[in-house]
Amino acid sequence: MPLVLIIAFPLLGWLLNGLLGGYLPRRMVGVVGSAAVGFSFLIALNAVQQPERAEPWVVPLYTWIAAGDFVVRAGLLLDRLSSTMILVVTGVGFLIHVYSIGYMAEDPAAPRYFSYLNLFVASMLLLVLGDSLLVLFVGWELVGLCSYLLIGFWFERDRAASAGRKAFVVNRIGDAGFLLGMILLAVTAGTLDIGRIGERAASIAPPALTAITLLLFIGATGKSAQLPLYTWLPDAMEGPTPVSALIHAATMVTAGVYMIARLHPLFMRAELTQMVVAAVGAATAFFAATIALVQWDLKRVLAYSTISQLGYMFLAMGVAAMPAGMFHLTTHAFFKALLFLAAGSVMHAMHGAIDMRRLGGLGRPLRFTMWSFLIGALALAGVPPFAGFFSKDLILEQAFLRADGGAVLLLWMAGVLTSLVTAVYITRAAIMTFAPPSAHHVAPHEAPPSMWWPMAALAVLSIGGGALGAQSAGRPMVQGLQEFFGLTAHEGAAAPLWLALLTPAVALLGIAVGYFAYRGRRQINLGRVGTFLELEWYLEPLYDRVIAGNAKRVGRVLATTVELRVIDGAVNGIGLAAVRAGASLRRLQTGYVRNYAAAILAGTVLLIGWWLLR
């Protein structure tokens, strides 16, 4: 029952705010939405701490599909992996809900906002707790729907509406791959139950296993914004800033990483897929980090940063370092949510301005926001003792130990180089936003308490969260996940001292480069390199010309030629033929008796003639 309540409370908040929110005071709407997620977090915390929960806990609900030998039961599953995720989703989600009370205080559509936000959290919890791949897929699709609703929340703005549609369409491309992989898995393994998938993974033929995992990975690239399906995430910044924090930190974009971790018995037996996952992750990490170097919108810098950090997680999954990937997922939720909420505080103070060229000099009036942003920035850069250092260092360490001098070594080098670029762009963002001279013409003001205490909690987690995986603290989270994944390789292997010192050295070098390059808020012209990066390595124009352009042309042909002329023409032609046939037959119905008598006589003569001559 507690597992059901973890999902039920956010669903109740969705219903209350959706149906009655218009009748409640605006601040009470936020309290209801926040309390729903807060209660869910408390129940999750209690469920995880129960001693008997050391073993997987399955709560069957009902039989969904029963077709011969193929049976799918809908139920919930709590184990060490889902325990980690539900605490991250509900804990960070609760802080973002509380922050939203102050951020959305003046928005008349606050009931709709909190209703969507609660549904988003409930959908992610269903995805995480589902005990079959089909239940997981329902949560997967609901998360996609909620992202569409929240990104396009201010739908009266053309850019927001367009960004919502783009997120929906791009995710459907990935979901098509996910669905095909799930169908192939059901046909091959005869089950979609997560526990049985692990048992039957060894019996699946390698070619089929590779096809299944690659198709599932396509779904992961769409949901977690990896190459080539990354384009929707930067545009998702058109939604409210707390939505960006929720999507980027604790919920939607982590779904692809979680799915691979959940189906690790399949992926760990598909060597080709593992290599593809690691390569795509490393390439995406470096690619997105370089683009963040030239962005002027602070939220878009953080968006590309999210894409880059997700690349690290996929690199970890690809080199069979799942515990390190999940650890980085957790710490990333802390510091990335903090960075987005700090950016939202800047927008709140600057009446919506977020272009860094219009900011600067905010360190003194927004002192608390500045320190919050700097803590998140240091964690993102990987500076010890902040949380991001421990998780990122563990990924790079595991990748190096598994390299064996092959292609994985190149991926490790790409990860190290990405770490350097990350430190540069986040230093640039901090200087351009908070350092003098000032470029704004309004009097900024610090955020209200409902906004700054969630930032304070996330700042504490961004500083101390590394203890979950720090070797000096016994790596409690990593050790537990190590046992869950059944991984013992390289656990006892000692990393060389230079490798342990490399991550902080690279981070500090990147901060130094960023400081000396952008001190005094200098705007550096990178020339052709800058243009190349601003155009996203020419991938965005390539997509527009090759894919979007041709798709529009095909759509126009289908809409004008095929739809109007062929399909509508055939339907209208059949109708016109029927009308003309009816009109011709109608002429025979004259209403004169003599005409009918003549017709009867003619028919009689013909029948007699036929009978005589046969």
Side-chain angles (χ1 to χ4, degrees):
M1 192 62 180
L3 291 188
V4 177
L5 291 177
I6 292 173
I7 302 175
F9 271 109
L11 282 177
L12 180 62
W14 165 59
L15 288 173
L16 289 176
N17 280 327
L19 298 176
L20 304 176
Y23 302 98
L24 298 175
R26 193 173 298 168
R27 197 168 188 84
M28 183 56 65
V29 169
V31 171
V32 169
S34 302
V37 181
F39 283 128
S40 182
F41 172 70
L42 293 176
I43 296 170
L45 191 62
N46 178 68
V48 169
Q49 290 180 337
Q50 296 298 320
E52 63 271 20
R53 302 304 176 225
E55 296 299 321
W57 179 25
V58 179
V59 179
L61 299 177
Y62 59 91
T63 300
W64 189 351
I65 298 174
D69 295 333
F70 182 74
V71 178
V72 176
R73 294 181 178 87
L76 304 178
L77 169 65
L78 183 68
D79 53 20
R80 287 180 175 174
L81 182 62
S82 56
S83 296
T84 301
M85 288 297 296
I86 60 173
L87 291 178
V88 171
V89 171
T90 56
V92 177
F94 170 69
L95 295 175
I96 293 171
H97 274 71
V98 173
Y99 178 94
S100 298
I101 295 175
Y103 192 86
M104 301 295 289
E106 303 301 323
D107 197 308
R112 177 165 57 90
Y113 170 82
F114 280 99
S115 179
Y116 289 166
L117 217 59
N118 278 175
L119 182 60
F120 201 171
V121 172
S123 302
M124 188 65 191
L125 290 171
L126 179 64
L127 186 158
V128 168
L129 290 171
D131 75 332
S132 74
L133 200 55
L134 197 57
V135 176
L136 186 153
F137 186 69
V138 171
W140 185 280
E141 290 299 292
L142 284 174
V143 165
L145 171 63
C146 293
S147 69
Y148 163 74
L149 296 173
L150 285 168
I151 293 169
F153 178 76
W154 289 314
F155 54 84
E156 66 277 4
R157 304 176 184 176
D158 290 339
R159 291 180 61 181
S162 176
R165 289 193 300 270
K166 185 175 184 179
F168 191 82
V169 171
V170 173
N171 273 275
R172 296 294 75 72
I173 297 172
D175 293 352
F178 188 110
L179 188 58
L180 291 173
M182 187 168 60
I183 294 171
L184 184 57
L185 177 62
V187 172
T188 306
T191 184
L192 291 177
D193 181 84
I194 288 174
R196 294 178 181 176
I197 288 173
E199 296 172 359
R200 301 183 185 182
S203 63
I204 302 176
L209 189 61
T210 300
I212 291 168
T213 50
L214 285 175
L215 286 169
L216 292 173
F217 178 60
I218 292 173
T221 59
K223 198 66 72 181
S224 295
Q226 298 294 283
L227 286 169
L229 301 179
Y230 74 96
T231 56
W232 67 271
L233 193 57
D235 291 346
M237 298 301 97
E238 294 300 325
T241 301
V243 170
S244 303
L246 192 61
I247 290 176
H248 288 243
T251 55
M252 181 172 174
V253 296
T254 61
V257 179
Y258 171 79
M259 184 267 288
I260 293 178
R262 173 56 74 194
L263 299 178
H264 67 277
L266 297 178
F267 282 86
M268 291 181 67
R269 286 179 169 84
E271 294 184 3
L272 175 61
T273 303
Q274 275 195 293
M275 196 63 211
V276 171
V277 171
V280 169
T284 304
F286 180 71
F287 165 79
T290 59
I291 298 174
L293 273 174
V294 296
Q295 299 297 311
W296 289 108
D297 185 308
L298 179 58
K299 287 176 64 178
R300 289 182 74 87
V301 172
L302 299 180
Y304 283 106
S305 171
T306 296
I307 298 171
S308 179
Q309 295 304 303
L310 287 165
Y312 273 112
M313 299 174 207
F314 277 95
L315 172 61
M317 296 294 157
V319 297
M322 279 81 174
M326 293 303 300
F327 179 35
H328 193 56
L329 183 153
T330 304
T331 61
H332 178 262
F334 300 153
F335 63 73
K336 186 51 63 67
L338 176 61
L339 286 168
F340 268 110
L341 297 190
S345 180
V346 170
M347 290 186 68
H348 187 269
M350 299 299 295
H351 306 290
I354 198 65
D355 189 325
M356 292 186 292
R357 289 169 293 193
R358 298 172 55 191
L359 304 178
L362 297 178
R364 181 167 295 179
L366 303 182
R367 191 179 301 275
F368 179 81
T369 298
M370 179 193 70
W371 282 111
S372 298
F373 189 92
L374 290 179
I375 290 171
L378 290 170
L380 171 63
V383 175
F386 298 92
F389 159 73
F390 295 98
S391 56
K392 188 186 296 185
D393 178 70
L394 185 59
I395 290 175
L396 294 176
E397 173 190 308
Q398 293 296 306
F400 180 81
L401 293 177
R402 288 168 167 80
D404 296 328
V408 178
L409 184 61
L410 295 177
L411 302 182
W412 170 79
M413 294 172 63
V416 173
L417 187 57
T418 300
S419 184
L420 175 67
V421 179
T422 299
V424 174
Y425 73 65
I426 200 60
T427 303
R428 169 182 178 264
I431 290 174
M432 299 301 295
T433 303
F434 296 103
S438 171
H440 51 82
H441 304 286
V442 297
H445 56 88
E446 190 59 272
S450 62
M451 292 174 63
W452 63 253
W453 84 253
M455 288 194 289
L458 288 167
V460 171
L461 291 171
S462 298
I463 295 172
L468 295 171
Q471 197 160 12
S472 57
R475 290 183 173 176
M477 177 182 174
V478 175
Q479 291 288 356
L481 289 173
Q482 198 84 22
E483 295 175 9
F484 171 80
F485 289 111
L487 297 173
T488 57
H490 303 286
E491 188 64 22
L497 179 61
W498 66 266
L499 185 61
L501 299 176
L502 182 64
T503 302
V506 169
L508 293 174
L509 175 61
I511 291 173
V513 171
Y515 173 77
F516 286 107
Y518 297 101
R519 67 183 185 278
R521 300 185 70 249
R522 289 191 298 181
Q523 299 183 20
I524 298 177
N525 183 8
L526 297 178
R528 293 184 178 179
V529 174
T531 303
F532 176 75
L533 297 179
E534 287 173 0
L535 293 175
E536 301 179 13
W537 294 33
Y538 289 99
L539 280 183
E540 190 76 25
L542 180 66
Y543 289 167
D544 289 340
R545 180 174 299 179
V546 176
I547 299 176
N550 288 329
K552 289 177 181 178
R553 293 186 190 98
V554 171
R556 280 193 291 267
V557 171
L558 293 175
T560 56
T561 304
V562 177
E563 174 74 16
L564 295 180
R565 298 180 183 177
V566 178
I567 298 176
D568 285 358
V571 173
N572 294 337
I574 293 172
L576 184 60
V579 168
R580 289 177 177 173
S584 300
L585 294 174
R586 191 167 59 246
R587 295 192 186 98
L588 301 177
Q589 304 295 323
T590 62
Y592 295 112
V593 176
R594 62 178 179 270
N595 291 345
Y596 299 151
I600 292 172
L601 177 61
T604 303
V605 171
L606 289 174
L607 286 173
I608 293 173
W610 174 79
W611 181 74
L612 292 174
L613 297 174
R614 65 190 178 117

